[in-house]
Amino acid sequence: MTALAPSNRLRRTWWTDAVEAAGVSAFTVYNKTLLPVVFESPSEDCRHLKSAVQVWDVACERQIRIEGPDATKLMQRLTPRDLDRIKPGKCAYVPICDVNGGMLNDPVALQPFPGVWWISLADSDLALWVEGVAMGAGYDVSVSEPDVQILAVQGPWAGDLAAEVFGEDTRDIPFFGFKWLPFENGKVLVARSGYSKQGGFEIYVTDPALARPLWDTLMSKGQPFDIRAGCPSGPERIEGGMLSYGNDMTRADTPFEAGLGRYVQRFDCIGGAALRAHVASRKIVAVELEGVPPVCDREWPLMDGDVQAGRIRSAAWSDEFQCGVAIGMVGMNWEPGDRLTCVTQDGEIAATIQERFWK
């Protein structure tokens, strides 16, 4: 694949023009939306993320809004996560499963207003599923996609930049907490969250008139922190064991197999009976690869001699750790230290299951 052909079927965002002006060199498609994936190079983008601060256009995290008298009841029906434990002003990582316990999505959900839920989607068509459940079960709710787009600020200096732009209140936002904060003549929802281990914020923008001023303000105020336009980093998120739905786990995998069993707290949800009876046959593991892996754009078998031990669907070279880093799904019989063979499109690479992820 050498190019991504533009089309009206691909959704531009409020910041696509700014991203292009900042020198993006590659996009992918995520929730039918353009997602920047490379600026300088994967290696340099990763290095800069770990040392400075970046602004990411992640409007591809499209929202589902559930509102009405039964909004929380429906939300609880969708996930095995116990939402009664989620305090006001907090975000929640909520696996959503089908009737067999297979993962349909692993979004972040929050209540921006009383009686209203936003579900910030990973890459899958979940909106029609939610609407179908609501209609089929007769919940008194409306399900829609709100005009909300997200800009992320990630990196070691993200906290200082957020305080410069939104005030010192940002320093009081706990991990996975959020606040509505003023910006220019409106408000934005600022959550301490994001798809990196470097720390930062995701800014939910509801007014398109604030979108470009927000970008420009962040870029201006961020100059002392060596700010750049950036994007989620493949090497960095694999080093930290941050899973990608559609890559590291799919509908064929349960939360238990994806290492998310701690979020299975209730069984009165769709798939609850299957989850209660489930016995995991495989597990997510960190895998070190010897040498530079090719682009991981297909599933790679992990072989133990003539036996397939599992698969790899995310891999990259890590400059920091000087090895190939990968996320694997392997059978329960394989343990840390086991040496396997990863079969890529460019040949075989020696692989070793690790005790833990690198970060």
Side-chain angles (χ1 to χ4, degrees):
M1 185 183 297
T2 57
L4 180 66
S7 164
N8 283 317
R9 292 183 295 103
L10 302 182
R11 180 175 180 248
R12 294 174 68 86
T13 80
W14 294 338
W15 299 287
T16 300
D17 288 346
V19 164
E20 291 174 333
V24 65
S25 59
F27 286 102
T28 191
V29 179
Y30 193 101
N31 281 326
K32 303 181 178 66
T33 304
L34 291 171
L35 170 63
V37 291
V38 181
F39 283 82
E40 297 291 330
S41 69
S43 177
E44 171 58 21
D45 293 348
C46 180
R47 184 207 63 78
H48 180 265
L49 171 62
K50 292 177 178 181
S51 63
V53 65
Q54 295 181 350
V55 178
W56 297 356
D57 174 6
V58 285
C60 61
E61 298 174 22
R62 297 175 70 163
Q63 304 298 304
I64 298 173
R65 178 171 57 204
I66 304 173
E67 59 184 319
D70 291 339
T72 297
K73 187 183 297 185
L74 172 58
M75 192 69 217
Q76 186 63 82
R77 181 65 175 152
L78 295 172
T79 179
R81 182 81 186 266
D82 186 354
L83 300 181
D84 289 342
R85 304 183 190 182
I86 309 302
K87 297 178 181 179
K90 293 286 285 183
C91 307
Y93 184 70
V94 288
I96 294 179
C97 301
D98 64 17
V99 294
N100 298 312
M103 294 279 292
L104 291 175
N105 206 281
D106 67 329
V108 171
L110 57 88
Q111 285 188 280
F113 313 105
V116 178
W117 284 92
W118 287 350
I119 306 174
S120 188
L121 294 180
D123 188 22
S124 81
D125 293 316
L126 193 72
L128 293 178
W129 168 269
V130 175
E131 189 168 359
V133 171
M135 293 178 62
Y139 288 98
D140 186 4
V141 297
S142 66
V143 178
S144 61
E145 180 175 354
D147 205 11
V148 176
Q149 297 194 23
I150 299 178
L151 200 64
V153 180
Q154 300 288 294
W157 294 103
D160 295 278
L161 176 57
E164 285 282 335
V165 174
F166 302 111
E168 291 296 318
D169 281 353
T170 55
R171 299 192 190 277
D172 298 328
I173 301 175
F175 180 66
F176 256 45
F178 68 85
K179 288 184 178 181
W180 284 99
L181 296 175
F183 178 74
E184 293 201 337
N185 60 344
K187 287 188 175 183
V188 293
L189 189 152
V190 180
R192 189 179 289 274
S193 58
Y195 196 54
S196 85
K197 288 285 188 174
Q198 306 310 308
F201 299 86
E202 291 182 304
I203 306 161
Y204 293 66
V205 182
T206 61
D207 182 354
L210 298 179
R212 189 56 187 258
L214 177 60
W215 176 281
D216 291 342
T217 299
L218 288 166
M219 296 302 286
S220 175
K221 295 284 190 181
Q223 291 304 309
F225 310 116
D226 188 25
I227 194 168
R228 294 184 194 173
C231 52
S233 166
E236 193 270 348
R237 71 99 179 163
I238 295 171
E239 290 167 357
M242 301 190 73
L243 303 184
S244 168
Y245 182 78
N247 284 315
D248 309 310
M249 75 284 202
T250 71
R251 189 173 179 178
D253 305 305
T254 70
F256 297 110
E257 292 165 338
L260 305 174
R262 63 191 178 278
Y263 299 115
V264 180
Q265 300 162 346
R266 295 177 58 153
F267 298 100
D268 56 343
C269 60
I270 295 172
L275 291 171
R276 187 191 296 274
H278 179 67
V279 177
S281 61
R282 51 189 179 269
K283 58 190 175 184
I284 286 281
V285 294
V287 179
E288 181 176 311
L289 302 175
E290 294 184 9
V292 180
V295 175
C296 189
D297 60 357
R298 66 205 72 185
E299 184 172 297
W300 296 340
L302 277 173
M303 304 300 297
D304 187 356
D306 295 331
V307 176
Q308 183 167 349
R311 71 178 193 235
I312 282 176
R313 297 181 62 162
S314 292
W317 172 257
S318 169
D319 283 335
E320 180 174 353
F321 296 99
Q322 287 294 294
C323 64
V325 293
I327 298 176
M329 182 76 78
V330 301
M332 301 299 287
N333 293 332
W334 284 270
E335 300 294 339
D338 287 349
R339 293 182 60 82
L340 305 171
T341 300
C342 178
V343 183
T344 80
Q345 64 268 29
D346 288 353
E348 297 182 349
I349 302 178
T352 305
I353 299 176
Q354 301 299 293
E355 180 72 34
R356 60 182 62 88
F357 286 94
W358 292 262
K359 290 288 191 178

